[in-house]
Amino acid sequence: MNNGWYVLNYHDISWEENPFISRIGGSFPPDVFAEHLEHLSKAGTLVSVQEGIEATKNGPVNDVLISFWFDDGFKGVRKYAKPILDHHNVTAAMSINSSFLLRKDMFWRCKLSFLDYLDQTRILRSRLKKYGFKFGEQVRLFTLDNFSLEIVEEINQLYATYVSGEFAHDAFRIFDTLSGMQMLQESGWLITNHSANHYPIGEASSIGLLQTEFETCEQEVSEHMRFSSEYCVLPFDRVSKRSPDLFKTFAEAFPEKYLVLVSETLNKSLDDKLIHRFGPPQMDGKDLVKYLSYLGSNA
Amino acid sequence: MWPYEIAPKQVPLEDAKNGTIIIITAGGYRHQRFALRLMEAFGDRVVAWYQVTYPSLSHKDKLGKVKRLIERKAAGSGAGFFNTFLRYQKLFGLRRVIRNGLAPIFSAYANFRHHRRIDEGDREVFGFEMDHLLPKGHLTPEKVGFDEVNSEPFIEKLKAHNAYFLCTLGGPLYKKGVLESVKGATINQHAGHSPDYKGSSTTEWALFQRNYDQVSSTVHISLTGADSGPIIRRSNPAMARTDSSYKIFSRVVALGTEMMIEAVEEIIEKGSITVFDQAPDAGRTYTSLDFDHQLYFGVQKDFSSGLYQDLLAKRKEF
């Protein structure tokens, strides 16, 4: 692998992948994550995100440094990933969404996943027609490509028809709690801002919500715990769909903060206040190292 | 996760705050992991661990077992088997009869291979954490024969612990005396989607039927019927593209163990638990007799042909 700072972006690490997640993916079982770490620890030096930032700020990185960043605040990260990382003496970063952490609203993509499990995608398709949905398109992609708060409201209404009361509250168990985040913070983990509701605020459809979403997350979480994150983690970050105004909008709104992306490239300098991450595909540890070597060599 | 389709009810379980735990397991690697994980989670609350043992068979007994399996599949005695063979050969031709006639032998092989691979899957999936778990085990298991576990002396032994919880993984069907030997609840984890898939090899059956949403683990209050008691938790394991069916089974077991720990923690904290009653006539109970070569080879073919990976990817294309 080429020298530089590699940041790997995971979501949930858990034995469980229930219908709220199974259609959107992104989970790794603990044994697979442990195997990833075994191979990565031989390919480079595992460092905390803070150490990686310092090393990259201070000049060219003459080593392969590897850090871990988990998005969305899933409970499995603290329960299963942390002990594995502790075994390798490394901490990580966790980006959180205030709505999920504070149990205000379920992640809209999880609602979609569960609706599909209940075979209600067929109802959603007919409701999305007025937004331009055509037969043959995928709801999963359409709702991102044509994102709007009105579409989110359609999903919310259908979800509320089928999921309510105690079951709806129990569904939040996949996300960690405030006390969980505080435990991670006390263990030296970096807790960062992933916006309030995980909308695609880096894309043209909702770039106008970028500032509000990050500010709301910071404000809501700060009411309950020490949380003033220098790092704003962009939800979704589909590179080809980024708004041309993304970097300008972010720099104007948060001139002192770093924007954290999923650019599939390694970090050689942080002068532009951008942190780039890799999203590991579903593969074993050996292939993951080869994958990172290939991407790193093309950086 | 809670079962979505069943109405919940609250069951009070008072005086659980200081409740102690007895574990009964079978003797496999995953059973050991289950017990160690409970000891890690609950420490000294775990006061006893019993491991159900089965007699080891001599070569003669093993051959006898295979012979009985073949005869059962061939519907008759050894002489009956050959009479059946000759009769069908005249009706359907030699090729079909050989294929059908060899089926019992294939099933016996499939059974053997299946159990060997379960153990391999357990070691692949749990290997990374056993070094960490082994020091947490403050108890070594006390062996109890499968034919003793429902006996009066053993039930009295269980009662003498004055425990609150009995947590089980594997072993035979436990009779009422065992289930009621604790003050609180007997909780079992089942590697299947109750009530739809009860009994034996339920992960394999769900995979065979390509019903991936019902590759599940269920944690339930134990009743005398197989996997039929009120459900406490039920959820699905993480399934990866690079998996074998055996790794998925091991993850189902790991998930069940975590859900069992959550259930016991909840009972201790709240003095009650939300449960979901299974309809007595719902679903199907699979037995070990249902496991045959068609199930074994059918599941393996889906994995080797790439169909499993394709179907897993297809779930996300909605």
Side-chain angles (χ1 to χ4, degrees), chain A residues 260-277:
Chain A
V260 184
L261 305 165
V262 184
S263 316
E264 309 291 345
T265 187
L266 59 86
N267 298 282
K268 291 185 174 169
S269 114
L270 296 178
D271 294 340
D272 52 4
K273 286 194 157 317
L274 298 176
I275 297 177
H276 303 281
R277 304 179 301 171

Side-chain angles (χ1 to χ4, degrees), chain A residues 14-32 34-35 75 79-80 83-84 109 112-114 116-118 121 125 137-141 161-163 166-167 170 173 282-284, chain B residues 1-5 8 10 33 37 124-126 128-129 132 193 213-214 232-243 247 250-252 254-256 258-259 261-262 265-266 274 276 312 315-318:
Chain A
S14 181
W15 297 114
E16 181 177 10
E17 191 178 66
N18 69 28
F20 284 94
I21 304 174
S22 57
R23 269 76 171 155
I24 54 176
S27 300
F28 284 88
D31 58 298
V32 173
E35 201 240 350
K75 189 155 105 180
K79 219 173 153 185
Y80 304 115
I84 296 168
R109 300 298 280 178
L112 265 185
S113 179
F114 195 70
D116 186 65
Y117 168 77
L118 295 180
T121 310
R125 280 189 205 110
E137 290 187 86
Q138 286 187 24
V139 167
R140 187 169 177 250
L141 287 174
T161 309
Y162 292 97
V163 182
E166 287 180 352
F167 188 88
D170 181 72
R173 71 171 62 238
Q282 288 274 343
M283 50 179 53
D284 64 24
Chain B
M1 195 169 127
W2 284 352
Y4 172 77
E5 75 283 9
Q10 280 289 113
R33 190 248 176 207
R37 188 64 192 98
E124 275 186 64
V125 169
F126 300 135
F128 80 98
E129 56 178 1
H132 157 77
H193 191 95
D213 281 340
Q214 294 194 341
I232 301 172
R233 297 269 194 284
R234 188 186 68 199
S235 195
N236 310 98
M239 293 176 16
R241 284 179 52 83
T242 50
D243 283 340
K247 286 172 96 167
S250 299
R251 296 217 192 95
V252 165
L255 172 59
E258 298 307 315
M259 293 196 295
I261 290 171
E262 278 181 23
E265 284 172 344
E266 185 175 325
T274 306
F276 303 81
L312 206 63
R315 274 208 305 194
K316 301 185 183 71
E317 294 169 10
F318 65 94

